[in-house]
């Protein structure tokens, strides 16, 4: 018999229930009618139990459909007979791990029992299933386990001494200082330290990537405010609500968006905000000490040879920044900026030391020392601080006779213009070359156009064999794009193709388009008859619905060595007729139109003015995957955001699972129905930019601008989900702040009435067979341009944000789309169920009211349309109560990713063409045939219904057609002599008749319709 183990670890911030501001909590767990409870912790709102409760599981196969219910009570008389409710948690059996190794500690917010319950706080649980023999469990000391893991990376540099390869941190071992990677407070540390002395209880928090919740926040000042995940509505949703509002399946709590309340200036209002941070108010202010080393002059010589190779060392405590050295230069110019995090400063003195590079040991030239307390504060938008000359000193403080250095030292924030290009103290182990690849940058996609090439015909072609008519086609190449026309209908020296090809061209139009007329000589071989090379900058542009340019004749030149000779003698008279133009009225699609971020035409002349501004603060990430655990490191994380043609890349934060970027970016918004995409990656090229390894994707999110309220600041923590061949993985959480500001209300509202794409897409649409090919080439072009920047945005990053594999076949995605359709149809079915309940008098009061409304509409038909629109208005107001307070995010349940079949995922991530073995391909083919058979059956049913309608008057069944035309004649006479209102009244009352007058047999019209003939019996 299988066992279920529930480890009740602790709870925090519980509701006081004893009237004295405290409570005596205990926990009851109920599983399959079995109930166990923990001990009672007297007068403790933050109790710690560390107890195991073991349950018998009778039928493990059916357990996924059941639930584990956890109740927290306050004991009033220390015996459990009189207890007060403190909260509950309901956990689905499908989410329980099958082994202790897979289980992680998760924190669950306590939920209410009813409408008037007063509940707060959360509880930490660890739940897993095991086989029989649980009594023999050996206790694993979590602190010893952590210490073993710390030894793996214990020799790393000092500013990561609190991190482990698995991200597990014992709270009792903190030294009270504020660690850069966590929001910890001295008050929390003192409380944990005192509690550990009172009770010899070992506790730990899992910060790993296995879907665990966030670490326990301090009671006094919580940074993350957990939202209720498995809560019920304050009142049960009625059946009418389900009709008016589509219900979506809920996903696991670990995959949901969590609302947060970070201390941002944009959230604090006028009185609470920092007045100096008003222009950079979507991120937390991070203070830095900036040291700018500009240049030096008249430096003394230290070598016997009389040369000097100077460089500068900036030292604050254990942090050391070094400039590059300049050979044989007594008046060097460095112009380097160093940024030291203020909260990590370990010394009150700043030493700027000039040294001479030497083979054996570098020589000391001079130094200058600053006191940190005397450093001025610079607040943007102040102009940059002017550097000053300082005389160098000996180590003993004596001023040198020669040598000066120009420096500027100031206190600033990440809003400082020197911040992006500065050397940062958290990257002190990198060289100057590697440091450049970690900086934050802004990129722009190339401005792309569709180039239309219409190949019409050719004249006077000369084949290599004069006695044979050439079988020709035209091969066209533009950069890395290549396409070919079909073969000419007839073999001739004057062939005609009359075929149009479309390519992607980009500014500054520095490429050439090459047309090659080729001859199929047999045996799979082709020979080039002639070639013409045309610069793209010489091709005319067409705006919107302008007239196409006239076709032009271009002389064909022979390839290879004879080309120059033939051009000079002008004896080669073959030519080709082409119509070329660059269409500037289209939008070049480089991402799917379902979640596109840019819908503007290529020509800047045709673009509309912006309607608003989108501001995003990339705050931090938590619980990231330890991507470099095998190398004894953690993760070098950076973020990339894409909206429109603007890409942004944050700086890379080295060797941390909890990076804090606090970088703010702004985009102009031209269309509210667009989507911004943000992704997190692990940088695999920090130490070697030529490393063939690809940057590892940690997850991405999409946010549609139209779902954001105007001028509202959204601060949420989004789960980073990645679907791999082994299943769905949560790689951490990304913390963002968003705000959409509208600058043109009228333009924004009129956008909803305009076409989604520019006018040319509808007036002269591009053939569907070209769309996917052009989109793929546009992606390749964008990736190649951005990969040549410094630091580069590599192709795997660009392809991940542009969803290059969105069109690839996926059974999982097909299931998701099918469920989307079923959810839409479920809303319609709810309406029919409601009408069926009315017809069967399940609720007599409602049925009588519907009868009254029906009679009023029959008597006053002019009220029908106003009533419908009034009803829609009321539905809209009613649904306003249930609107989503969270921005949209990646939905694992909707994507059918939580319980995806491993074989289906392996098929989804297989290459094209496939590389799997024959048996696997055969099995997948058989599965695809079974699915296609079901689709074929549905299509056949739809075809039969349509054929039955057509057979009413086709005389295919003479008796059925005779019955129908006689019936039609009788109804024509009846409707002619009877008022229409009376006819509707009769049919309405018949439809709403009482169940006593109903039968379970189908009505006569349905029987008649099903007996009509179809063409199914004519199929082979």
């Amino acid at each position: 018999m299988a066992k279920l183990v529930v480890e009740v670890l602790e709870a925090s911030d519980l509701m006081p229930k004893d009237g004295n501001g405290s409570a005596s909590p205990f926990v009851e767990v109920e599983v399959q009618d079995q109930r166990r409870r923990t001990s009672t912790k007297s007068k403790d709102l933050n109790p710690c139990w560390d107890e195991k409760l073991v349950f018998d599981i009778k039928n493990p196969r059916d357990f996924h459909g059941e639930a584990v219910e956890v109740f927290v009570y306050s004991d009033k008389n220390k015996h459990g007979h009189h207890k007060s409710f403190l909260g509950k948690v309901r956990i689905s059996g499908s989410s329980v791990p099958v082994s202790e190794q897979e289980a992680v500690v998760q924190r669950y917010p306590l939920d209410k029992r009813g409408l008037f319950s007063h509940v707060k706080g959360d509880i930490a649980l660890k739940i897993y299933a095991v086989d029989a023999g649980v009594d023999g469990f050996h206790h694993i000391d979590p602190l010893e386990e952590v210490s073993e893991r710390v030894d793996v990376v214990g020799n790393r540099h000092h500013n990561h001494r609190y991190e482990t390869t698995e991200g597990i941190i014992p709270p009792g071992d903190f030294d009270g200082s504020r660690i850069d990677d966590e929001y910890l407070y001295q008050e929390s540390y003192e409380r944990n330290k005192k509690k550990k002395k009172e009770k010899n209880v070992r506790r730990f928090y899992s910060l790993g990537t296995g879907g665990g919740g966030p670490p326990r926040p301090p009671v006094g000042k919580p940074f993350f405010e957990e939202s209720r995940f498995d809560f019920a509505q304050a009142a049960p949703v009625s059946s009418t609500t389900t009709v008016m509002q589509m219900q979506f399946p809920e996903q696991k709590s670990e995959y949901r968006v969590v609302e947060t309340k970070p201390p941002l200036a944009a959230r604090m209002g006028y009185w609470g905000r920092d007045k100096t941070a008003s222009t950079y108010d979507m991120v937390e202010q991070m203070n830095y000490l900036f040291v700018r080393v500009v240049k030096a002059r008249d430096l003394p010589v230290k070598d016997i040879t009389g040369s000097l190779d100077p460089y500068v060392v900036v030292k604050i405590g254990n942090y050391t920044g070094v400039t590059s050295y300049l050979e044989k230069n007594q008046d060097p110019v460095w112009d380097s900026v160093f940024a030291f995090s203020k909260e990590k400063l370990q010394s009150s003195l700043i030493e700027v030391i000039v040294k001479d590079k030497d083979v054996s040991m570098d020589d000391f030239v001079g130094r200058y020392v600053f006191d940190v307390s005397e450093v001025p504060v610079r607040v943007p938008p102040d102009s940059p601080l002017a550097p000053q000359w300082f005389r160098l000193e000996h180590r003993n403080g004596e001023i040198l006779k020669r040598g000066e250095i120009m420096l500027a030292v100031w206190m600033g924030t990440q809003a400082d213009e020197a911040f992006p290009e500065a050397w940062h103290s958290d990257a002190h182990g990198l060289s100057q070359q590697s440091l450049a690849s970690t900086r934050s940058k802004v990129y722009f996609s190339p401005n792309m156009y569709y180039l239309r090439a219409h190949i019409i015909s050719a004249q006077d072609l000369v084949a290599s064999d004069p006695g044979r008519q050439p079988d020709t086609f035209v091969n066209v190449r533009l950069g890395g794009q290549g396409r070919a026309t079909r073969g000419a209908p007839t073999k001739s020296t004057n062939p005609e193709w009359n075929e149009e090809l479309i390519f992607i061209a980009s500014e500054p139009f520095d490429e050439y388009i090459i047309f090659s007329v080729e001859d199929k000589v047999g045996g799979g071989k082709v020979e080039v008859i002639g070639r013409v090379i045309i610069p793209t900058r010489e091709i005319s542009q067409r705006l919107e619905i302008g007239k196409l340019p006239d076709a032009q004749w271009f002389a064909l030149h022979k390839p290879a060595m004879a080309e120059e000779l033939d051009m000079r003698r002008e004896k080669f008279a073959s030519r080709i007729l082409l119509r070329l133009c660059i269409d500037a009225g289209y939008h070049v699609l480089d991402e799917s139109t379902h979640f596109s971020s840019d819908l503007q035409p290529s020509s800047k002349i045709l673009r509309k003015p912006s309607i608003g501004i989108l501001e995003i603060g990339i705050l931090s990430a938590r619980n990231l995957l330890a991507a470099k655990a095998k190398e004894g490191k953690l993760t070098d994380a950076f973020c990339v955001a894409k909206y429109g043609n603007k890409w942004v890349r944050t700086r890379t934060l080295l060797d941390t699972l909890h990076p804090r970027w606090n970088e703010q970016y702004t985009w102009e918004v031209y269309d509210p129905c667009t989507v911004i995409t943000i992704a997190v990656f692990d940088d695999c090229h920090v130490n070697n930019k030529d490393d063939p390894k690809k940057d590892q994707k940690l997850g991405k999110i999409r946010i549609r601008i139209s779902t954001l309220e105007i001028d509202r600041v959204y601060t949420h923590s989004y789960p980073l989900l990645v679907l791999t061949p082994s299943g769905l993985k949560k790689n951490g959480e990304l913390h963002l702040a968003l705000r959409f500001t509208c600058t043109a209300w009228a333009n924004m509202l009129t956008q909803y009435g305009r076409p989604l794409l520019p006018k040319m897409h509808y007036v002269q649409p591009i053939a569907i067979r070209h769309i996917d090919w052009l989109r793929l080439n546009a992606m390749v072009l964008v990736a190649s341009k951005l990969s040549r920047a410094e630091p580069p945005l590599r192709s795997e990053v660009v392809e991940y944000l542009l969803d290059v594999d969105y069109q690839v076949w996926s059974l999982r995605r097909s299931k998701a789309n099918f469920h989307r359709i079923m959810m839409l149809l479920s809303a319609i079915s709810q309406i029919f169920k409601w009408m069926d309940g009315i017809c069967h008098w399940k609720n007599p009061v409602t049925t009588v009211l519907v009868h009254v409304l029906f009679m009023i509409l029959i008597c006053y038909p002019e009220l029908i349309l106003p009533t419908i629109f009034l009803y829609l208005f009321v539905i809209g107001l009613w649904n306003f109560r249930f609107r989503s307070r969270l921005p949209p995010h990646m939905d694992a349940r909707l994507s059918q990713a939580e319980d995806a079949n491993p074989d289906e995922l392996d098929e989804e991530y297989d290459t094209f063409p496939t590389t799997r073995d024959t048996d696997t391909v055969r099995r997948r083919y058989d599965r695809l045939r079974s699915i296609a058979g079901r689709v074929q059956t549905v299509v056949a049913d739809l075809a039969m219904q349509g054929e039955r309608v057509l057979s009413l008057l086709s005389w295919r069944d003479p008796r059925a057609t005779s019955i129908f035309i006689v019936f039609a004649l009788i109804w024509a006479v009846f409707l002619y002599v009877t008022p229409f209102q009376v006819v509707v009244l009769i049919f309405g009352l018949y439809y709403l008749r009482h169940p006593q007058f109903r039968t379970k047999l189908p009505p006569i019209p349905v029987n008649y319709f099903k007996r009509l003939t179809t063409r199914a019996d004519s199929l082979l």
Side-chain angles (χ1 to χ4, degrees), residues 689-707:
K689 67 178 182 179
D690 298 326
D691 195 330
K693 292 174 61 178
K694 293 185 177 181
D695 293 336
Q696 183 176 350
K697 54 188 179 183
L698 299 180
K700 69 179 174 183
I701 62 173
R702 299 191 198 100
I703 301 174
R704 185 168 291 273
I705 309 302
S706 59
T707 61

Side-chain angles (χ1 to χ4, degrees), residues 66 92-93 98 107 215 217 272 308 384 445 466 490 555 560 563 612 615 635 708 716 753 760 835 844 875 931 964 981:
E66 301 184 17
S92 174
V98 296
R107 303 196 72 90
L308 182 71
S445 300
T490 57
E563 180 177 354
E615 299 168 274
T635 300
L708 302 178
H716 293 84
M760 287 293 290
M835 287 299 301
I875 290 177
I931 296 173
F964 178 75
Q981 291 177 330

Side-chain angles (χ1 to χ4, degrees), residues 65 138 188 214 225 233 299 311 359 395 413 606 648 897 921 1004:
H138 62 280
S188 174
E225 181 179 288
Q233 296 286 350
L299 295 178
Y311 68 94
V359 177
R395 286 192 176 94
T413 65
L606 303 176
V648 299
V921 175
I1004 295 176

Side-chain angles (χ1 to χ4, degrees), residues 450 452 500 502 542-548 581 583 585-586 758-767 771:
Y450 285 136
R452 194 183 296 267
E500 188 176 73
I502 302 178
R542 182 175 66 138
L543 298 177
E544 289 195 335
I545 321 174
K547 181 183 177 182
L548 286 171
C581 74
D583 283 324
Y586 291 90
K759 186 190 301 182
M760 287 293 290
H761 287 268
Y762 304 96
V763 178
Q764 293 183 2
I766 299 175
I771 293 295

Side-chain angles (χ1 to χ4, degrees), residues 600 607-613 668-671 743-744 747-748:
Q600 293 283 89
R607 296 179 182 177
K608 305 296 181 183
S610 64
I611 62 169
I613 295 174
E668 283 188 312
V669 178
Y670 295 90
D671 194 322
T743 57
N747 291 342
M748 182 184 68

Side-chain angles (χ1 to χ4, degrees), residues 257 323-324 350 356 413 452 471 520 594 643 646 736 857 880 965 981:
V257 173
T323 67
S324 58
I350 310 168
D356 178 21
T413 65
R452 194 183 296 267
D471 183 9
K520 300 177 183 178
H594 303 303
Y643 183 73
K646 180 179 177 180
L736 299 176
L857 294 179
F880 182 77
I965 62 174
Q981 291 177 330

